[in-house]
Amino acid sequence: MRTPPPQRLLALAQLSNSVGDGAYYTTSALYFTQIAGLAPARVGLGLTVGWAVGSLAGVPLGRLADRRGPRGTAVLLALATGLAVASFTLVRDFLPFVLVACGYAAAQSGLAAARQALLAGLVPARERTGLLARLQATLNAGLAVGAGLGGLALHAGSRSAYVAVFVVDAVSFLVCALLLLGLPRVPSSAESAVSAVSAASIASATEGRGRLGGVLRDRPYAVVALLNTVLLLRLPLLSLVLPLWITSRTGAPAWLVSALFVLNTAVVTLFQVRAARGVTGLDSATRVLRRSGWVMCAACAVFALSAGTSPWVAAGVLVLGALLQVVAEMGQSAGSWQLSFDLAPADRVGEYQGLFGTGVTVARTLGPLLLTWLLVEWGTPGWLLLGTAMLAASYAMGPASRHAARAGEVSRTRGLTPASVVTPRC
């Protein structure tokens, strides 16, 4: 009850659509193949194309949130996501499926960027990482509840049960839109600029941060986003790679796959806020990223040790690896959240978050193919190579973020001269 209303509404909006998403993620693959009648290979291709389009749409939709206001943009994109989910229930052929998948992924990517811009406009900078940690914990709790609902639909196995899941997900985004609409309005970048800086000053201030090409011309920030994408390769581990590794390379029981997922969700729900508590600036963010890099490297080595052992030894080793992995995940999340906000210009948070958020879609699109070959096919050397890459990316975040911070400071120093400041009217 002590949480201020904007934070509470943001958390409720996160809980709403995460419950729907949890049910959708659990049932969508079987719905598309068994109910809609699409071939599994075509489902995979359609979703890959959809998320590729989504990764490209994040930046322009984030820029739209900056220019038109993040609250209204987030509300519209939440409604668009719900409409796309509902449209899946009408799909019977491949081409309509691809078109709906593209719309769904684009709306999801834009919604993520707009919500980050909305959060930045409502919450002081020193409180953002802590709030994002609470939202991440809420997300995991909602996904767990949604997965339970999806499990009921899987048990029923009927078309009506699957359709009910999609309806629940669509309604969850409608509720999310209504909750976001209840938040205070955040001025657009144009409105904020007019009240403080002249148009000439804006052009000068943003020239050094790639105004003509937008965030894509801001190379220092793009490097940080690229390094974060390497760290996000952990995303397919739990959902795809570890299940394949457990069933093909170890003697551990297959039910351990579900147990490790529950373990990850529970730990993030309970401890993500605590893991982010000390992350308050660039220095603390890069420190936690370096520590998390070592923990992730250790997790990869432990996973590699699970091959060729007895079933119960393998199970114990896998649980230890999963614990190390989730500790690294929480640290990497907290550190990257801090960097993504601190290094973005205050009037272009949505656009910059759109680029930073593409790391998730890239990791989920290319990660399964890369990690399946690297880990399941190559085995122990692949795990060690992945751990080394994670550690190297974690250490590279320090100099990369400092360079991006210096580039941003130079841009602001050159652009905001005393003569360019508008004198307030009485």
Side-chain angles (χ1 to χ4, degrees), residues 120-157:
L122 294 173
V123 180
R126 65 182 182 277
E127 299 177 13
R128 290 172 189 165
T129 298
L131 176 57
L132 283 166
R134 292 192 290 275
L135 294 179
Q136 184 68 23
T138 302
L139 170 68
N140 277 264
L143 289 175
V145 173
L149 296 176
L152 295 176
L154 293 175
H155 179 70

Side-chain angles (χ1 to χ4, degrees), residues 267-268 271-272 275-276 292 325-335 337:
V267 171
V268 172
F271 298 107
Q272 179 67 78
S292 298
Q325 187 265 333
V326 73
V327 170
E329 174 187 333
M330 292 187 294
Q332 288 173 351
S333 296
W337 292 331

Side-chain angles (χ1 to χ4, degrees), residues 76 162 245 401:
L76 290 176
Y162 281 105
W245 174 263
S401 61

Side-chain angles (χ1 to χ4, degrees), residues 383-400:
W383 280 110
L384 298 180
L385 181 59
L386 177 64
T388 302
M390 293 279 194
L391 181 61
S394 299
Y395 267 79
M397 275 290 203

